[in-house]
Amino acid sequence: MKVLHMISGGDKGGAKTAVFSLLLALSEEIDITIACFTEGVFYQEVQGLPVKSILFKQKFRNDLSIIGRLSRYIRQNGFDIVHAHGARANFISMMLKLFVKVPIVTTVHSDYKLDFTDKLYKKWVFTLLNAIALRTVDYYIGVSDAFRRMLIERGFARDRVFSVHNTVETERTLEFVPKDEFLRRFDMAPNRNALVGIIGRLDYVKGHDIFLRAAAEICKTRGDITFLIAGEGFEEANLRKLAKSLGIADRVRFTGFVDDIFSFINAIDVNVCASRSESFAYMLHEGALMKKPAVSTNVGGISELIIDGVTGTLVPEGDYRALAAAIVRYIEDPALGAAHGEKLHAYVNANFSKETMQRKSIGIYETILANEKKANRVFDVMLSGYYGYTNSGDNALLDAVIKSLRRERGDISILVLSRNPKGTMRDYGVFSINRLNFPLVRRYMKRTRLIIYGGGSHMQDITSTRSLIYYTFLIHMAKYMGLSVMLYGNGIGPLNKPRNIAKARNALNACDYISLRDPESYAYVKGIGVRNPNVTVSVDPVFSLYAAEENTPPTDMPADMPELDGSGYFAVSLRPWQYNEAGFADKIAEAINYTAHTYALTPLLIPMETPDINILKETAKRLSCGCVLLPRVFRHDEIMSVIARAEFAMCMRLHALIYAAGVGLPIIGLVYDPKVANFIAYMNEQTKVDTSDLDLPALKGMIDGIMQDPTAARVRIATERERLRMLSHHDAKAAVRLLEGKEL
């Protein structure tokens, strides 16, 4: 799993700590990258973490010029999920959704309605923009159960909202200086006064004014307590004025931002949170690590940490008198404070561990991906080929590639480009769209990570240049969209026109991985000048099919499939071809008659594509023996089941030969295209004749050679079949490695 996290880059304090903890926990299990948009504190410090990071620097806050680069980066690196943190990342996510279709999740670290309070302009404009952006995000993670409820109450879909508590590093070494040394930094002489502290950015939402009013209430009756405020922010001037107006300026110290926060916590006696809204309250968790008693307003997710009267004290939001009373109670009863501090420390250790956050976060990612795949919104693989036509071989290729990929990775999501999407979805249980609907193909490429050309001969112009243009165009479009491209057990050539050779060469050089079904295709690729280093020889994907290998017929054989009796058969597959010699039908009929009469076998005539039926019927008219003609193109598993009854196969169609070899039959290739000759050679056989100049005596000799020692012929085929079957597993493994971004 690959996840891109996004954050502004200037965050510090609790937000920085929260995201750092999350990144470190997740990076132990999955592939994490963090993208920042400014060179602030967060970005500078994340460089020191063992987490991949990248900067997409914005010239100003709403600079959208980075969107193009960012969207290409997401597609090219195959991220499964984008995870946003904060208002700026949410806004960028809203723009990204126009260009990438991976699911986007955002962590809601705070109440987004209270994030911008320093200026009226920000309060109205930024709050509104963030609220709009949040509505466009796909999924949400609140950092407390209370925040999850808040989002649901505000109309966010319940099934798209999750919660994961942030964590604190309970096993970290706490580094701090002695109390007196810390106080000397702020010209505070060591004294016997109790110290009450509050930590957080100086913002209205953090309730520092409530804290000061509580301090003033305490100062009415006690002169032995000093109040420390750690943090910085736009409210500092107003808070100083408030302290002066309350007459407690000499009892309050503003320390500014404190780098070594545990030195601050070590110095204080009571840790206070006075927030008007709070999600996780890092200051309370960090205080818990040092067993400090805590007093907090009961807002947001605070009650998930502070159990009133057990791990601390809760007071109503805004009630400064109750806050003052709770603080004084701990000062007057240090034993109670120590007991609550101990229980808080134990509670944090038990319930806010790194392992819990890691497990829940990855579980949410897995749920998101499962939802998106189930709803056909994102896909791992787009399969391209000659699919959805009445061609048994290409349908077998589709079935073989789908099954191989799913054997390698059970949860892989697949989209197929097909001439008949409804039929493809029905027959193969995958989502499918029309292969010629280019706007739709482009739209779904945005949702896909890898395009696979699954078997077949796509890079050739012997049938037409149009198909070559189609397949090369898809490769270039996919690469532009940031997809990886793989040729999976393909044949290459022939290419006759120089312009087409150049088209194919450019497309093949752009591919990420090329698996070829025979050594001749490999030599052809190198011969036309392809310099792609990731080219290997594999095998036709159909060799990976298992359904009919045990020679057991499917349980639902169609009613119009002829029933074969116990007598012997030999299989014949022919196809119309403009370059067949003029007397081809007569010679083939003579070879069939010879076999039938000499060896008492019945010819089994098998159409692999609808046009084959006519040439098989014409051949049948010339026969002086009985025959069985399949009336239509059947499914590949049905054909393999029938062909397994034969003694040998004599075929023009490549996949008829592969079916035969797959079930262990000796084969003779009727070569109309180099791919047939290449396959025969790859099987280490010599049994082939050319259909453009058919050598009838040679063909009869090959038939005799098989029938005079059929056992030896079958042993040879079985040996080569096992060799190629082993090779057939490599391509699915390579495809999954491409998806996972691993080296091939």
Side-chain angles (χ1 to χ4, degrees):
M1 187 187 300
K2 296 186 71 174
V3 181
L4 177 69
H5 287 253
M6 301 192 309
I7 195 168
S8 72
D11 304 76
K12 54 186 177 181
K16 182 190 74 175
T17 304
V19 179
F20 275 14
S21 297
L22 179 64
L23 295 175
L24 288 170
L26 292 178
S27 65
E28 294 178 357
E29 297 294 330
I30 60 178
D31 192 333
I32 293 293
T33 302
I34 180 73
C36 297
F37 308 114
T38 66
E39 294 179 281
V41 173
F42 184 101
Y43 177 72
Q44 292 168 6
E45 293 189 16
V46 81
Q47 307 301 302
L49 299 183
V51 177
K52 289 181 288 186
S53 61
I54 186 169
L55 178 67
F56 291 91
K57 188 173 182 179
Q58 289 183 295
K59 298 174 184 176
F60 48 88
R61 183 181 184 90
N62 295 322
D63 174 18
L64 299 181
S65 64
I66 66 165
I67 297 297
R69 288 186 291 118
L70 182 57
S71 61
R72 284 192 295 274
Y73 181 78
I74 291 169
R75 290 195 298 265
Q76 289 168 356
N77 287 275
F79 289 104
D80 298 288
I81 291 174
V82 173
H83 190 153
H85 300 271
R88 185 181 297 212
N90 291 340
F91 181 73
I92 288 172
S93 294
M94 180 173 66
M95 298 295 105
L96 270 180
K97 286 183 70 67
L98 300 172
F99 302 95
V100 295
K101 298 301 179 183
V102 299
I104 297 177
V105 59
T106 184
T107 293
V108 180
H109 293 275
S110 58
D111 185 344
Y112 60 91
K113 291 186 176 182
L114 301 175
D115 278 347
F116 302 99
T117 57
D118 55 334
K119 293 182 180 179
L120 189 62
Y121 168 80
K122 287 185 178 181
K123 181 177 180 180
W124 287 102
V125 176
F126 289 176
T127 300
L128 177 62
L129 285 175
N130 191 28
I132 293 171
L134 278 170
R135 296 289 174 178
T136 69
V137 172
D138 301 304
Y139 297 91
Y140 310 87
I141 299 174
V143 294
S144 67
D145 294 334
F147 266 46
R148 180 177 185 272
R149 291 192 296 271
M150 175 192 77
L151 291 169
I152 293 170
E153 288 167 1
R154 292 180 183 177
F156 292 87
R158 179 181 296 271
D159 62 345
R160 290 174 173 266
V161 183
F162 307 89
S163 65
V164 177
H165 290 110
N166 287 332
T167 187
V168 289
E169 296 178 62
T170 55
E171 297 178 358
R172 69 187 292 185
T173 300
L174 305 182
E175 297 180 355
F176 54 89
V177 300
K179 177 178 178 178
D180 290 349
E181 181 181 337
F182 178 77
L183 294 178
R184 280 195 293 269
R185 294 183 191 173
F186 308 101
D187 298 324
M188 295 175 64
N191 57 61
R192 304 173 70 90
N193 280 6
L195 298 180
V196 177
I198 186 170
I199 307 165
R201 72 181 187 277
L202 305 186
D203 189 305
Y204 173 79
V205 74
K206 293 297 184 180
H208 292 88
D209 57 318
I210 299 170
F211 176 75
L212 288 175
R213 293 184 190 282
E217 192 72 14
I218 293 169
C219 288
K220 290 177 182 180
T221 58
R222 300 190 64 112
D224 59 345
I225 301 176
T226 301
F227 302 89
L228 302 183
I229 298 177
E232 58 188 14
F234 59 86
E235 279 289 303
E236 182 173 346
N238 291 333
L239 292 172
R240 287 182 180 275
K241 289 179 183 178
L242 178 61
K244 187 174 182 180
S245 69
L246 291 172
I248 59 171
D250 61 332
R251 304 281 294 277
V252 177
R253 289 299 180 100
F254 290 84
T255 67
F257 183 78
V258 177
D259 288 321
D260 56 336
I261 197 63
F262 289 108
S263 293
F264 180 94
I265 296 171
N266 175 63
I268 63 177
D269 297 288
V270 180
N271 191 20
V272 177
C273 171
S275 296
R276 292 180 166 88
S277 175
E278 195 64 66
S279 55
F280 184 72
Y282 257 102
M283 77 286 281
L284 297 179
H285 287 77
E286 290 170 331
L289 296 183
M290 301 197 73
K291 303 180 182 180
K292 296 293 178 176
V295 178
S296 176
T297 48
N298 188 6
V299 296
I302 297 295
S303 61
E304 297 166 34
L305 171 67
I306 303 297
I307 302 170
D308 190 34
V310 179
T311 62
T313 302
L314 295 175
V315 302
E317 185 260 318
D319 190 341
Y320 66 88
R321 290 188 176 89
L323 189 68
I327 292 169
V328 170
R329 185 183 179 204
Y330 281 138
I331 297 296
E332 292 180 345
D333 190 350
L336 177 66
H340 284 183
E342 286 283 354
K343 290 178 180 178
L344 179 59
H345 178 264
Y347 190 76
V348 166
N349 278 334
N351 295 279
F352 296 89
S353 68
K354 177 189 72 174
E355 290 74 21
T356 299
M357 179 180 69
Q358 181 189 79
R359 184 178 65 253
K360 289 190 70 174
S361 296
I362 294 175
I364 289 170
Y365 291 157
E366 290 172 343
T367 298
I368 288 172
L369 290 177
N371 289 347
E372 294 295 298
K373 291 177 180 180
K374 185 176 180 181
N376 295 319
R377 285 190 290 265
V378 297
F379 299 90
D380 295 309
V381 170
M382 176 180 284
L383 276 182
S384 174
Y386 194 70
Y387 305 139
Y389 296 83
T390 55
N391 184 301
S392 176
D394 288 295
N395 291 339
L397 284 170
L398 177 58
D399 192 34
V401 174
I402 290 173
K403 287 177 177 175
S404 293
L405 291 173
R406 286 180 172 165
R407 275 195 297 269
E408 194 62 32
R409 204 176 93 176
D411 66 341
I412 199 165
S413 56
I414 298 172
L415 163 68
V416 175
L417 304 183
S418 172
R419 179 176 178 267
N420 179 14
K422 288 184 179 179
T424 298
M425 287 191 280
R426 179 193 65 235
D427 295 339
Y428 301 98
V430 292
F431 188 71
S432 180
I433 60 174
N434 192 302
R435 69 198 296 269
L436 297 178
N437 188 335
F438 290 106
L440 192 62
V441 171
R442 185 179 186 277
R443 188 189 314 166
Y444 275 95
M445 275 189 176
K446 293 179 182 178
R447 309 177 184 191
T448 308
R449 296 170 52 201
L450 169 65
I451 184 169
I452 289 177
Y453 283 31
S457 301
H458 304 301
M459 300 299 159
Q460 52 84 23
D461 61 6
I462 195 167
T463 56
S464 76
T465 296
R466 288 194 304 273
S467 64
L468 177 69
I469 292 172
Y470 172 83
Y471 291 115
T472 55
F473 173 74
L474 279 189
I475 288 175
H476 292 302
M477 183 164 70
K479 293 308 297 180
Y480 176 78
M481 301 285 288
L483 279 71
S484 298
V485 178
M486 175 181 180
L487 270 60
Y488 189 120
N490 278 208
I492 305 294
L495 292 158
N496 298 305
K497 300 176 182 177
R499 191 179 304 173
N500 290 344
I501 292 173
K503 283 187 177 72
R505 180 171 56 243
N506 292 337
L508 292 170
N509 278 326
C511 293
D512 296 275
Y513 190 75
I514 299 172
S515 159
L516 302 173
R517 67 189 177 197
D518 51 62
E520 287 75 14
S521 291
Y522 182 90
Y524 192 91
V525 162
K526 295 304 179 181
I528 63 173
V530 172
R531 297 293 178 261
N532 191 325
N534 295 317
V535 182
T536 188
V537 178
S538 180
V539 68
D540 191 286
V542 173
F543 265 98
S544 67
L545 285 175
Y546 289 82
E549 288 173 358
E550 304 304 323
N551 300 348
T552 55
T555 57
D556 58 344
M557 289 292 278
D560 59 342
M561 173 67 79
E563 291 188 17
L564 304 183
D565 59 27
S567 60
Y569 298 88
F570 66 102
V572 178
S573 165
L574 305 176
R575 63 159 297 169
W577 187 245
Q578 58 184 326
Y579 301 113
N580 286 345
E581 70 164 284
F584 174 75
D586 293 324
K587 286 185 177 181
I588 283 294
E590 184 176 343
I592 293 172
N593 284 327
Y594 170 79
T595 306
H597 296 307
T598 304
Y599 298 104
L601 299 177
T602 301
L604 177 62
L605 309 183
I606 301 174
M608 296 287 286
E609 192 172 6
T610 300
D612 299 357
I613 295 173
N614 289 333
I615 190 172
L616 290 171
K617 284 182 176 179
E618 289 300 315
T619 301
K621 292 176 183 178
R622 293 170 166 81
L623 298 182
S624 60
C625 60
C627 69
V628 176
L629 171 61
L630 301 191
R632 61 179 174 86
V633 179
F634 289 89
R635 284 199 327 248
H636 59 275
D637 57 330
E638 295 165 346
I639 294 175
M640 290 176 78
S641 178
V642 171
I643 211 171
R645 304 286 298 277
E647 296 296 323
F648 72 92
M650 180 170 63
C651 307
M652 284 181 71
R653 290 283 187 181
L654 172 64
H655 282 99
L657 290 168
I658 292 174
Y659 293 174
V663 296
L665 295 190
I667 52 177
I668 297 173
L670 305 176
V671 179
Y672 76 97
D673 183 285
K675 64 186 179 184
V676 176
N678 294 345
F679 176 70
I680 296 297
Y682 205 21
M683 293 295 294
N684 284 320
E685 294 288 328
Q686 303 296 321
T687 49
K688 61 184 178 183
V689 292
D690 194 334
T691 65
S692 64
D693 184 17
L694 198 149
D695 186 338
L696 187 57
L699 179 56
K700 290 180 179 180
M702 294 171 193
I703 295 168
D704 291 337
I706 291 171
M707 294 307 300
Q708 287 168 9
D709 194 351
T711 300
R714 284 178 176 269
V715 168
R716 288 198 309 273
I717 288 294
T719 301
E720 298 304 321
R721 179 184 67 172
E722 293 309 308
R723 174 178 65 87
L724 298 185
R725 182 179 291 169
M726 294 297 294
L727 280 175
S728 72
H729 302 302
H730 295 172
D731 290 343
K733 294 181 184 297
V736 170
R737 292 187 72 81
L738 277 175
L739 282 175
E740 295 174 348
K742 297 179 179 177
E743 290 187 10
L744 296 165

